[in-house]
Amino acid sequence: MNPNNLKYSKNHEWIGLEVNKEKTYIGITHFAQKELGDIIYLDIDETVVGTKIQEGKVFGTIEAVKTVSDLFMPVSGKILEINKVLFSKPEHINKNPYEKGWILQIKILDTKEYDRLMSFEEYKKYIGK
């Protein structure tokens, strides 16, 4: 995934939209993983698969050496899949947050929420880059 083609939340999650505008992937941004430092643990309850979570709600936590941070849904969606590889190899988020480091695959429930998210250029301004 190309970071230029993704959308971004104020909570530093990225989201990409596939051609059919239904299924998409969610992860944390390069900026977020850099700020967190070495990621050592991802905590997402596997029972969330198949459930609907509203925009802005917490879906899990991510733990780095120095801190724990909540993970927020950038849009309302039905959870289709968790990247279970991250449970044993959370370092994928540090090494490649936009490819191997994706966290969830979801079905978007409201594309208007997606449309309101920041573009790459807007996100860069938001983080002061």
Side-chain angles (χ1 to χ4, degrees):
M1 285 179 242
N2 180 341
N4 290 312
N5 297 332
L6 303 173
K7 292 277 199 161
Y8 299 87
S9 75
K10 290 182 177 182
N11 292 312
H12 307 287
E13 282 87 20
W14 61 262
I15 183 169
L17 193 59
E18 294 189 9
V19 178
N20 64 10
K21 289 200 171 192
E22 284 190 11
K23 291 194 317 189
T24 189
Y25 292 93
I26 294 172
I28 65 166
T29 65
H30 175 72
F31 174 81
Q33 68 79 24
K34 191 174 175 185
E35 290 291 306
L36 287 169
D38 291 336
I39 295 168
I40 58 173
Y41 187 69
L42 183 69
D43 185 19
I44 301 173
D45 186 344
E46 292 185 58
T47 63
V48 299
V49 174
T51 65
K52 295 176 182 176
I53 300 179
Q54 295 302 307
E55 173 187 29
K57 299 293 183 187
V58 173
F59 67 83
T61 58
I62 192 165
E63 184 175 339
V65 174
K66 297 178 184 176
T67 189
V68 176
S69 186
D70 287 333
L71 296 166
F72 298 91
M73 287 292 287
V75 297
S76 300
K78 180 179 180 181
I79 310 297
L80 301 175
E81 184 180 356
I82 299 169
N83 185 355
K84 292 182 183 178
V85 171
L86 299 179
F87 292 147
S88 60
K89 296 182 180 186
E91 65 273 10
H92 282 322
I93 297 170
N94 289 116
K95 292 178 182 174
N96 196 342
Y98 301 108
E99 292 289 336
K100 288 184 179 182
W102 65 270
I103 297 171
L104 294 179
Q105 182 184 49
I106 69 165
K107 178 179 180 181
I108 292 179
L109 300 178
D110 184 352
T111 55
K112 290 176 189 167
E113 292 173 354
Y114 175 84
D115 293 338
R116 288 192 300 260
L117 294 170
M118 292 180 275
S119 69
F120 184 61
E121 290 303 315
E122 291 168 327
Y123 182 70
K124 285 195 317 188
K125 288 178 187 172
Y126 178 72
I127 61 173
K129 299 285 179 182

